[in-house]
């Protein structure tokens, strides 16, 4: 069997741990017996104001601004979504196991999943599909690291491995800009952790290549490292602009930045009829892409102190088709009721290798990926059924829309 698999909204992030969006509690997260990384800095490597910005970073920001300016809201500038293929039943089963962990929020299965892919890799020819999944698994481990009560020494390696595997996937599939985008994102995290400005600039350059080749998707993949910067920094501002531009493309118009009300647009046949609008439609790969994406933008606006616009964005989440079954729906009320307090929390320094003791954004917390990929228990049987059906009838689950119950009127 040869099955084509498009890498969609994996990072429309990767499961559930409500403790990651609330103040951490020891019994909500995975416990680890390993000691904390020795010498992990309490300084926040993301916090950099405009005055201390390096020349190379300023050049990188300019590259990103130019790339975003060239993205047409009608999606006409978007490149093709190049399929990543898997070619036998064993690969299909690996895929199903990986996404089942995603859908169920089983972060504790990461090491086992990774070993399964590595074992398969040893016995078979090089595969962009296998390399990409190893990239995603390591990125998931890194992004949601705050689910662990103690951060261990394997975490920095997960960033390096994430970069390595996505780069290998891109070499095997050089037209696949999804791999290019995620590889650039991992490399940015690596550069920030090591405080390597030159590597950060080089990662930005490859990220711009991905935006030009896949404008609808790449800015989202790249935004995660940028949103952790201080809210007055050029990095944070361009990260927020990336998400807003993706939302513009999703709804084929320049949305009002002060009042981004899309509640009616979410029900529009014009929008629902457009293909591959990954961030305003829930898919099998990301059953709650819409809710997670809009929630992430809301958090970014809170951090930026754009509280009225943030409140509108959270209301957009409430109006989404999958809100009633979204595992994190209770967090919307918390966000709306504590906008000012959340703004202060979101702007506190965030160390890469120490768990925060304050509320974090979705992006900087324990559900950075699963905010979109985690499904509710009642949805899982239908998702698995739809997965099997899509693979049998279409040869892929890419582009398969997950039909949530309609939003309440």
């Amino acid at each position: 069997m040869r099955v084509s698999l498009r890498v969609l909204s994996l990072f429309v992030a990767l499961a559930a741990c409500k403790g990651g969006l609330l103040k951490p509690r020891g019994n909500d997260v995975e416990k680890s017996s390993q000691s904390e990384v020795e010498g992990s800095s309490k300084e926040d490597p993301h916090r950099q104001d405009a005055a201390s910005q390096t020349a190379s970073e300023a050049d990188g920001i300019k590259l990103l601004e130019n790339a975003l300016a060239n993205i047409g809201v009608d999606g006409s500038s978007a490149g093709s979504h190049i399929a990543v293929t898997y070619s036998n039943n064993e690969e299909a089963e690996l895929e199903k196991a990986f996404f089942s962990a995603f859908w169920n929020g089983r972060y504790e299965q990461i090491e086992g999943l990774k070993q399964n892919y590595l074992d398969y890799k040893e016995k078979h020819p090089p595969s962009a599909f296998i390399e990409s999944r190893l990239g995603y698994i390591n990125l998931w481990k890194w992004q949601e690291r705050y689910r662990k009560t103690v951060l261990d020494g394997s975490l920095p390696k997960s960033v390096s491995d994430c970069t390595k595997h996505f780069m290998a996937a891109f070499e095997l599939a050089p037209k696949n800009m999804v791999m290019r985008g995620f590889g650039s994102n991992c490399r940015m995290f690596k550069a920030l952790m090591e405080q390597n400005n030159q590597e950060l600039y080089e990662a930005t350059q490859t990220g711009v290549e991905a935006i030009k080749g896949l404008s609808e998707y790449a800015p989202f993949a790249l935004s995660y490292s940028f949103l952790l910067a201080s809210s007055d920094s050029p990095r944070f501002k361009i990260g927020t602009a990336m998400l807003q531009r993706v939302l513009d493309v999703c709804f084929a118009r320049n949305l009002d930045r002060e009042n981004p009300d899309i509640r009616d647009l979410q029900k529009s046949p014009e929008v629902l009829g457009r293909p591959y609008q990954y961030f305003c439609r829930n898919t099998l790969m990301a059953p709650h892409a819409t809710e997670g994406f809009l929630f992430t933008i809301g958090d970014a606006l809170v951090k930026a102190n754009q509280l009225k616009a943030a409140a509108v964005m959270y209301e957009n989440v409430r109006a989404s088709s999958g809100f009633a079954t979204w595992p994190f729906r209770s967090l919307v009320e918390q966000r709306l009721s504590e906008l000012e307090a959340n703004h202060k929390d979101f702007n506190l320094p965030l160390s890469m290798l120490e768990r925060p003791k304050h509320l974090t954004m979705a992006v900087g917390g324990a559900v950075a990926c699963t905010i979109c990929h985690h499904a509710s228990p009642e949805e899982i049987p239908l998702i698995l059924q739809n997965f099997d059906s899509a693979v049998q009838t279409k040869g892929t689950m890419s582009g398969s829309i997950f039909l949530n119950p309609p939003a309440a009127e």
Side-chain angles (χ1 to χ4, degrees):
M1 177 180 70
R2 187 167 188 83
V3 185
S4 171
L5 178 59
R6 215 169 265 156
V7 184
L8 312 171
S9 61
L10 253 135
F11 269 144
V12 183
L14 288 134
C17 177
K18 296 183 180 179
L21 291 176
L22 299 172
K23 293 180 174 59
R25 297 188 302 273
N27 60 352
D28 286 335
V29 295
E30 175 188 342
K31 296 184 182 295
S32 170
S33 60
Q34 296 180 311
S35 60
E36 282 193 10
V37 178
E38 292 185 7
S40 61
S41 172
K42 293 186 178 181
E43 295 298 321
D44 177 11
H46 297 285
R47 298 189 69 81
Q48 183 180 52
D49 58 27
S52 64
Q53 185 186 15
T54 64
S56 61
E57 184 177 9
D59 291 341
I61 296 296
K62 189 65 176 177
L63 287 174
L64 288 165
E65 289 174 343
N66 290 339
L68 286 181
N70 289 325
I71 295 178
V73 295
D74 61 354
S76 60
S77 61
S80 299
H81 292 262
I82 307 299
V84 173
T85 61
Y86 54 96
S87 56
N88 55 50
N89 288 331
E90 189 175 355
E91 288 188 4
E93 288 303 312
L94 284 171
E95 182 78 342
K96 189 172 185 178
F98 173 50
F99 275 94
S100 292
F102 247 171
W103 295 326
N104 286 280
R106 293 171 180 161
Y107 182 87
E108 71 280 1
Q109 293 185 0
I110 283 178
E111 293 305 318
L113 291 167
K114 182 165 61 175
Q115 191 58 53
N116 289 341
Y117 277 103
L118 289 171
D119 290 344
Y120 180 89
K121 179 181 175 181
E122 285 186 2
K123 303 172 186 176
H124 296 82
S127 163
F129 163 69
I130 296 298
E131 294 293 348
S132 71
R133 290 308 182 259
L134 285 166
Y136 285 127
I137 289 169
N138 279 286
L139 185 54
W140 182 14
K141 179 177 179 179
W142 170 256
Q143 291 276 46
E144 299 195 350
R145 62 197 178 279
Y146 296 138
R147 295 176 66 170
K148 301 168 76 71
T149 54
V150 177
L151 306 189
D152 61 70
S154 68
L155 288 167
K157 186 176 185 300
S158 69
V159 181
S160 297
D161 286 350
C162 172
T163 304
K164 176 183 70 176
H165 289 299
F166 276 124
M167 289 177 69
F170 183 69
E171 289 175 3
L172 292 165
K175 294 183 179 181
N176 193 312
M177 290 299 162
V178 175
M179 301 298 97
R180 194 65 157 169
F182 276 113
S184 300
N185 181 43
C186 293
R187 195 177 178 193
M188 286 178 183
F189 277 120
K190 179 176 179 290
L192 287 167
M193 185 171 59
E194 297 172 353
Q195 300 187 31
N196 186 330
N197 289 326
Q198 181 58 34
E199 184 167 19
L200 182 63
Y201 176 65
E202 292 173 2
T204 302
Q205 287 180 305
T206 58
V208 167
E209 292 175 15
I211 290 176
K212 292 178 178 179
L214 194 65
S215 60
E216 179 189 348
Y217 192 88
F220 168 79
L222 293 170
S223 68
Y224 270 48
S225 66
F226 287 79
L227 293 178
L228 300 183
S230 57
S231 59
D232 60 350
S233 70
R235 285 185 61 78
F236 175 81
K237 292 175 182 177
I238 194 68
T240 303
M242 286 179 184
L243 294 182
Q244 291 173 318
R245 195 55 176 168
V246 170
L247 195 61
D248 289 342
V249 174
C250 189
F251 289 98
R253 66 203 69 206
N254 293 309
L255 298 170
D256 189 334
R257 295 295 186 254
E258 295 183 1
N259 182 32
D261 187 344
I262 56 171
R263 287 174 292 182
D264 290 337
L265 285 175
Q266 290 187 77
K267 304 173 185 178
S268 166
E270 172 192 354
V271 171
L272 295 178
R274 299 178 69 208
Y276 304 121
Q277 299 301 298
Y278 301 132
F279 304 101
C280 56
R281 303 179 80 179
N282 292 333
T283 68
L284 285 185
M285 285 190 174
H288 290 284
T290 303
E291 293 76 39
F293 180 54
L294 297 177
F295 190 88
T296 296
I297 297 177
D299 278 2
L301 293 172
V302 168
K303 182 171 179 176
N305 204 27
Q306 298 176 33
L307 303 185
K308 290 183 179 179
V312 173
M313 196 60 67
Y314 292 135
E315 291 294 348
N316 290 334
V317 178
R318 277 180 166 169
S320 63
S321 64
F323 180 75
T325 54
W326 186 42
F328 303 105
R329 59 190 178 275
S330 64
L331 296 173
V332 173
E333 182 58 38
Q334 185 279 330
R335 292 300 203 253
L336 286 168
S337 63
E338 300 182 33
L339 289 169
E340 292 282 356
N342 291 347
H343 167 66
K344 294 178 182 178
D345 273 350
F346 291 173
N347 280 278
L348 291 174
L350 189 65
S351 169
M352 281 191 164
L353 293 176
E354 293 182 4
R355 292 186 71 244
K357 297 180 180 179
H358 57 81
L359 185 73
T360 67
M361 296 189 298
V363 165
V367 292
C369 303
T370 50
I371 195 75
C372 296
H373 291 276
H374 186 42
S376 60
E378 60 268 29
E379 292 174 315
I380 297 298
L382 178 59
I383 289 174
L384 291 172
Q385 178 183 338
N386 287 348
F387 174 88
D388 291 337
S389 176
V391 170
Q392 291 172 10
T393 59
K394 300 195 312 177
T396 177
M397 68 168 169
S398 295
S400 297
I401 303 303
F402 178 56
L403 300 177
N404 304 99
E409 294 295 334

